[in-house]
Amino acid sequence: MKRSLTVPLTALAPVSWGTTYAVTTVLLPPDRPLFTALLRALPAGLLLLALTRVLPRGGWWWRSAVLGALNIGAFFPLLFVSAYRLPGGMAAVVGSVQPLFVVGLSALLLGQRPAPRTLVTGAVAALGVSLVVLQGTGTLDAVGVLAAVAATASMAAGTVLTKRWGRPDGVGPLALTGWQLTAGGLLIAPLAVLAEGAPPALDARAVGGYVYLALANTAVAYWLWFRGIGRLTATQVAFLGPLSPLTAAVVGWAALGQALTPAQVAGMALAFGATLAGQLGGGRGRSFSSPEKNAQKVSMDRMDPALRR
């Protein structure tokens, strides 16, 4: 598949995640964030494991557990805690600074020096998202703020480590996605049981909502996300993140009848412009599947093309 399609395909992941709020509000039982997180992650992970029939080997058992915890197991619960405890879209505002977290971690773990343009673009993206999602002031909850910051840092660290570690030889992004979703789901499962008890009764609407979240919103979206991390720079991928709150605002306007103010429209333009600038200024990412192969490009070029995808 042509590299020119990598950015738009990767962008489908945060666009899909932007529909989560509407689906949760309209179709799912209320006050069950951990149960919802569990049904998003674990069935999708098990499905991908069944499709790929590939299990981690050697050090990839613990690496998959770490990535699954950062990208899924810790991120989902922290995100829900922040969303429930913070006013308006404050959780999304904190999340919108993820590109800046990624820039810092990329400098530390990947040796990529941030350009001033990248830092300015990250700040503009956060400003744009702030204009879109903030609808009032309200009292900030300390636990909610800490959870939002921790969720943002967790996803940023997972993105950078996914880039640093790559993939084992002969293992595609579909299998890597299955490993992480399964590991993250297994981490969420005991938390959901302890905090929320037995699963709620589900009607047909809720079942449909959970099927959508598990398949399109999680299995497919995270596969596209991790595939994009393998082909783009970590910073480029992170700058696609603001598309999630922007999509949520558009879906709320189109499907839920929520009005958009001129300030929100201006914020959308700023955030979308910053997203585009993040792609144009991010350069090309390494497309090799592991750090070892990055150091052996000549050998990699001689491999079967199917193993390089």
Side-chain angles (χ1 to χ4, degrees), residues 8-215:
L9 285 176
T10 308
L12 290 178
V15 168
S16 174
W17 298 334
T19 66
T20 303
Y21 173 78
V23 171
T24 301
T25 302
V26 175
L27 301 178
L28 304 186
D31 303 324
R32 290 301 183 109
L34 293 178
F35 179 74
T36 297
L38 175 62
L39 287 196
R40 283 187 67 188
L42 191 56
L46 294 175
L47 174 63
L48 295 184
L49 287 182
L51 290 175
T52 59
R53 298 184 181 182
V54 177
L55 293 177
R57 297 186 300 272
W60 272 99
W61 281 103
W62 70 265
R63 286 183 178 183
S64 298
V66 170
L67 294 177
L70 292 172
N71 289 318
I72 309 295
F75 175 70
F76 279 7
L78 289 168
L79 182 66
F80 280 121
V81 168
S82 64
Y84 270 82
R85 299 183 69 105
L86 293 179
M90 181 59 69
V93 173
V94 177
S96 69
V97 302
Q98 181 179 316
L100 299 179
F101 277 76
V102 169
V103 167
L105 289 172
S106 294
L108 181 64
L109 298 177
L110 303 179
Q112 297 177 356
R113 181 178 300 178
R117 173 182 175 179
T118 301
L119 299 176
V120 172
T121 303
V124 171
L127 173 61
V129 172
S130 301
L131 292 175
V132 173
V133 301
L134 288 184
Q135 301 176 3
T137 53
T139 302
L140 295 183
D141 179 86
V143 173
V145 172
L146 289 175
V149 173
T152 302
S154 180
M155 188 67 170
T159 297
V160 175
L161 283 178
T162 300
K163 185 65 180 179
R164 177 180 175 86
W165 287 339
R167 301 191 306 268
D169 292 351
V171 174
L174 200 64
L176 182 66
T177 303
W179 299 350
Q180 296 190 48
L181 288 173
T182 302
L186 291 175
L187 181 62
I188 296 171
L191 298 177
V193 172
L194 291 174
E196 298 178 355
L202 303 179
D203 57 17
R205 289 161 55 90
V207 171
Y210 282 124
V211 168
Y212 166 77
L213 290 181
L215 295 181

Side-chain angles (χ1 to χ4, degrees), residues 277-289:
Q279 306 313 308
L280 297 175
R284 289 195 172 192
R286 295 186 299 243
S287 60
F288 312 112
S289 60

